[in-house]
Amino acid sequence: MQEAIAITEQPISVSVPVGYSFTLRCRAQGRTSLQYQWFCQYQSECCLIPGATNQDLPIIAEQTRLYTCRVNDLHRNAVFSDWVKVEVHQCVARGLPPRLWQGEPVIVLNPSEQRVELGQPLQLQCAAMGVPAPSYQWYRNGNLLEQQKRKKLWISHTKVSDSGTYLCCASNSHGEHWTNAVDVHIATGKIALLVGNNRYQHHPNLMAPVRDVFELSRLLKHLGFQVVSLLDLNKAEMATAVSRFLQLLGKGVYAVFYYAGHGYEHLGRNYMVPVDAPQPYAPENCISVQRILQKMQQQQTALNIILLDTCRKWYNPGCALSQVQPLEPWGNTVYGYSTSEDAEAYELQDGEFSSGIFMKYLKKHILQEKKVTHMLEDVLEDIGRDPLVTGKQVMEIKHTLKEARSLTDPICPSGAATEHWGHGQELPSKTVTFPCGARVELHFLRLFSNLMFVCAKPQPPLAHIADPQLLLRQLAETDDDVAIQRESCLDHVETLLASVYKREELDCVFQLCALQKIQTDVVLQLDLHYIRPSTKQRTCESLQMTLHRSLLSQFFSQRSDSQPGSQRAPARTGSVCLQDAVVLSTDPKGQGSLSTGSAHSLPSSSPSNFSSEPEENDESDLGELCLALLRAGPGQDGP
């Protein structure tokens, strides 16, 4: 049966600049003559448009509104057209739309780059003019996003996989136009703990871990990781460092743990040997790798990488296994063993340095933009082709990684919890002035997180003094803790230092090793010996320098400065806190004191505001509005 009224031409939505003139059209057929009445809705109010009783409705665009047309016949039958939106852009760049615009899409708002915390919402927005109003389709990394077909892209809970390059296509019957491409970074974190044990109390010393930890630290920092690198830890220190490392892991974080040193394997369990472990190896004197990985998984990290550059010889079969729960099947774990089961891992002599065969090839491939397992496979293949270790050492990879995650993924460290991990340990250079007027620049150099070099370099001009010589020495040399530092210093670390810094920066150097063992502030004295040209007498002037324990052993202190929600006291000159790194005073009265701070802030993300874009109308109640208008009947003003 033929319907009483049938709309044959629906009005169309448009997206136009303010002041633009156009016409909405509605056509219908019926068994009697038909009458038309246009309505509009603006800011939740719907009203009849006086005099708008023709098939065509001329409009000069002023505000974004919704429109519909009611058609009725002489028998009081009535139908409504589709609701259409007249979207009006108040702020449009000069020259838009083009002079001979035919209604093709014209982009008036491009999306902007976003940095979003993992799990938080993501919104990208664009806008285009067009007659008809354009439809939208978003893409990520060139791939169509099926559910993202509005000018606002919305993801309520972001995942690491939501990182990438986004752009949107606006199209209508006249053509299509693309927005600019923008990058979205899902901010989680990249955290790394590197431990290299070289000098053992009861086992043979090693050489390669020093160089290998340094090289990997440098490369991971290049990849955006916050890195703590530590040398020569006993069991208690290893446990503390791992505990602090685990505290900073959380949902979505990329975590890397690397160990180089003595180790062994027992019934499929891997153990790292601290520098104080007695003979023979036993689980109770060592650190279980599986236990660390299990706790990493419990933090819901997005990627866990364990790199073990250690031997895996079976050892002490009579020992009991450490109690470790099976790993959860979350698919986020990668093991990279430098050697295969029941085999040795070898060091190579490379000029003045020793390097592990594993690190030799890892540093060649680690910067590749590849899934981390594929990158490690390249390392495995290179080791397999090395004639020096053919038949002796073959790398082994185990993983449960289900997503294509790479160490190069563009995620950014964020949050107060990680503020001092890998940061807050570098001290800026400072210039001090002796009473004679001579100026000396002090550098505080760290190749490792628990090893510091203090370097003093005289600054020109020095014409008023002759034969200047600088000496850095430590006061209270009988202190037990300081004695430990001297014994633990590594000669080949100095060689590594000389390869990194210019020789002229290292004329006067004092080395502090094993900073985690220091229990009190360390006082250094800088002596300047010189000859006064006027008297020809040799003179000595001194400045004292206090290195606070809170700085030196910051990763091993009882305070959990890195824990979320912890409060930090403001820095004060002379106070013993993490921010007050160094205090210098002239001898003997302490005039001219200064302090340097070591706090760093990490970038934070904030949502962008799209003030030039008209707000989206809530069209969820349009069906009820149409029913209300139908109930009102012909000739009435509205519901």
Side-chain angles (χ1 to χ4, degrees):
M1 179 178 178
Q2 183 180 358
E3 294 183 5
I5 302 173
I7 294 180
T8 58
E9 182 179 348
Q10 297 279 1
I12 60 172
S13 296
V14 299
S15 182
V16 295
V18 65
Y20 187 80
S21 299
F22 62 98
T23 300
L24 292 179
R25 294 166 50 88
C26 182
R27 298 290 186 269
Q29 293 179 346
R31 288 175 290 185
T32 67
S33 59
L34 302 176
Q35 297 175 336
Y36 294 81
Q37 178 61 61
W38 289 87
F39 295 82
C40 73
Q41 182 194 17
Y42 177 63
Q43 294 183 346
S44 302
E45 293 185 5
C46 184
C47 60
L48 175 147
I49 303 175
T53 57
N54 295 322
Q55 294 175 320
D56 296 339
L57 177 65
I59 294 177
I60 298 177
E62 295 179 354
Q63 299 286 341
T64 296
R65 288 185 170 94
L66 296 174
Y67 291 86
T68 188
C69 184
R70 185 184 66 203
V71 184
N72 60 277
D73 60 16
L74 299 180
H75 301 295
R76 301 185 64 84
N77 297 311
V79 295
F80 280 87
S81 71
D82 295 338
W83 281 96
V84 295
K85 177 192 268 189
V86 174
E87 185 178 52
V88 180
H89 298 273
Q90 301 291 339
C91 299
V92 177
R94 180 178 297 180
L96 295 181
R99 185 175 180 182
L100 301 177
W101 188 43
Q102 300 297 313
E104 67 275 9
V106 175
I107 302 294
V108 295
L109 178 67
N110 280 286
S112 60
E113 182 175 347
Q114 298 286 302
R115 296 180 182 272
V116 183
E117 295 280 350
L118 184 77
Q120 296 301 308
L122 165 66
Q123 177 178 288
L124 293 176
Q125 187 167 342
C126 68
M129 297 184 298
V131 180
S135 58
Y136 297 89
Q137 177 61 63
W138 287 89
Y139 295 79
R140 182 182 65 244
N141 298 331
N143 299 316
L144 183 145
L145 300 174
E146 288 287 351
Q147 306 302 318
Q148 302 294 346
K149 297 180 180 294
R150 299 170 66 96
K151 63 173 177 274
K152 289 183 180 178
L153 177 146
W154 175 260
I155 298 174
S156 58
H157 294 86
T158 53
K159 306 182 296 295
V160 173
S161 58
D162 292 322
S163 295
T165 301
Y166 288 74
L167 75 167
C168 186
C169 178
S171 61
N172 65 11
S173 56
H174 298 291
E176 64 182 26
H177 203 86
W178 295 79
T179 67
N180 296 337
V182 297
D183 292 327
V184 170
H185 305 276
I186 306 303
T188 55
K190 289 181 174 182
I191 307 294
L193 173 61
L194 317 181
V195 177
N197 285 342
N198 304 267
R199 296 175 64 91
Y200 282 86
Q201 299 174 19
H202 308 289
H203 306 280
N205 288 337
L206 301 172
M207 296 287 288
V210 171
R211 178 67 180 269
D212 291 348
V213 168
F214 172 75
E215 292 283 0
L216 183 58
S217 174
R218 181 176 58 86
L219 293 167
L220 288 176
K221 288 175 181 177
H222 181 79
L223 290 168
F225 278 82
Q226 293 170 273
V227 181
V228 164
S229 57
L230 302 167
L231 295 181
D232 294 335
L233 303 184
N234 61 34
K235 184 185 178 186
E237 292 164 352
M238 287 185 71
T240 300
V242 168
S243 177
R244 297 296 298 272
F245 172 64
L246 293 171
Q247 287 174 7
L248 299 184
L249 304 186
K251 187 175 182 181
V253 168
Y254 281 23
V256 172
F257 178 81
Y258 170 83
Y259 171 75
H262 284 307
Y264 72 98
E265 185 165 314
H266 176 45
L267 296 179
R269 304 281 176 83
N270 296 95
Y271 297 91
M272 300 175 293
V273 180
V275 295
D276 62 342
Q279 292 265 19
Y281 298 151
E284 61 269 21
N285 299 319
C286 299
I287 302 293
S288 167
V289 176
Q290 276 75 13
R291 189 179 298 277
I292 294 175
L293 182 54
Q294 181 192 48
K295 293 194 176 292
M296 289 171 71
Q297 272 206 337
Q298 290 172 358
Q299 304 301 317
Q300 300 185 46
T301 43
L303 178 63
N304 294 316
I305 302 177
I306 298 281
L307 299 176
L308 291 182
D309 198 353
T310 180
C311 296
R312 294 176 65 192
K313 294 293 290 184
W314 296 334
Y315 192 83
N316 209 359
C319 287
L321 282 173
S322 59
Q323 298 300 314
V324 180
Q325 297 282 338
L327 295 177
E328 296 289 341
W330 289 342
N332 62 352
T333 300
V334 178
Y335 266 113
Y337 299 96
S338 65
T339 191
S340 54
E341 190 174 357
D342 197 28
E344 302 280 0
Y346 288 89
E347 296 182 349
L348 297 174
Q349 189 68 28
D350 182 13
E352 296 183 77
F353 303 102
S354 291
S355 177
I357 192 75
F358 173 62
M359 188 57 62
K360 175 183 177 180
Y361 295 109
L362 178 64
K363 65 185 182 182
K364 174 183 174 182
H365 296 286
I366 195 171
L367 299 181
Q368 294 177 353
E369 294 186 11
K370 289 185 176 182
K371 185 177 179 180
V372 64
T373 51
H374 296 166
M375 180 272 292
L376 290 174
E377 286 170 359
D378 292 341
V379 178
L380 184 155
E381 292 175 3
D382 277 359
I383 294 175
R385 288 190 290 262
D386 192 312
L388 293 177
V389 292
T390 299
K392 300 177 182 178
Q393 180 175 345
V394 177
M395 183 186 168
E396 184 175 343
I397 305 168
K398 296 180 180 179
H399 77 93
T400 60
L401 194 61
K402 61 184 180 182
E403 297 185 25
R405 290 176 177 161
S406 168
L407 294 178
T408 62
D409 288 344
I411 62 177
C412 306
S414 178
T418 61
E419 184 170 341
H420 294 300
W421 186 264
H423 289 262
Q425 53 182 313
E426 297 298 335
L427 301 177
S429 299
K430 288 292 178 182
T431 300
V432 296
T433 304
F434 283 85
C436 66
R439 294 182 302 114
V440 173
E441 187 174 13
L442 294 169
H443 299 273
F444 306 92
L445 310 178
R446 286 184 188 263
L447 299 184
F448 304 92
S449 301
N450 64 336
L451 188 152
M452 174 185 288
F453 294 91
V454 185
C455 306
K457 178 182 177 184
Q459 299 295 296
L462 297 173
H464 57 289
I465 63 175
D467 191 24
Q469 293 183 359
L470 287 172
L471 174 66
L472 260 175
R473 59 192 178 90
Q474 182 176 340
L475 298 184
E477 293 187 6
T478 58
D479 184 274
D480 292 339
D481 292 321
V482 176
I484 293 175
Q485 318 317 314
R486 292 189 178 279
E487 291 176 5
S488 64
C489 289
L490 304 172
D491 293 337
H492 46 293
V493 172
E494 295 182 356
T495 306
L496 184 61
L497 180 74
S499 71
V500 176
Y501 295 98
K502 297 179 181 178
R503 180 62 198 172
E504 58 268 21
E505 294 179 351
L506 307 176
D507 290 338
C508 179
V509 178
F510 188 87
Q511 182 181 16
L512 281 169
C513 303
L515 301 182
Q516 72 277 4
K517 299 182 185 298
I518 294 179
Q519 300 301 313
T520 61
D521 295 350
V522 174
V523 180
L524 302 180
Q525 183 161 302
L526 177 61
D527 297 329
L528 173 64
H529 299 265
Y530 65 94
I531 297 175
R532 294 183 182 273
S534 59
T535 64
K536 306 300 182 181
Q537 293 183 347
R538 192 155 192 85
T539 304
C540 177
E541 295 180 3
S542 299
L543 295 176
Q544 288 186 5
M545 175 169 38
T546 300
L547 302 177
H548 288 306
R549 172 185 177 275
S550 58
L551 168 78
L552 301 179
S553 59
Q554 60 180 291
F555 303 113
F556 297 87
S557 62
Q558 295 301 313
R559 287 179 54 200
S560 294
D561 297 298
S562 301
Q563 292 218 29
S566 63
Q567 298 296 317
R568 290 174 16 200
R572 294 174 294 168
T573 302
S575 63
V576 182
C577 65
L578 187 63
Q579 286 74 32
D580 296 324
V582 178
V583 174
L584 298 168
S585 62
T586 57
D587 181 72
K589 296 183 179 180
Q591 297 178 352
S593 65
L594 58 94
S595 66
T596 60
S598 63
H600 292 263
S601 297
L602 298 179
S604 61
S605 59
S606 57
S608 300
N609 294 320
F610 301 93
S611 57
S612 63
E613 170 65 10
E615 293 292 331
E616 290 277 9
N617 288 283
D618 184 2
E619 302 176 20
S620 61
D621 60 345
L622 291 184
E624 295 182 4
L625 181 59
C626 287
L627 291 175
L629 288 173
L630 282 170
R631 287 195 298 268
Q636 299 189 36
D637 290 344

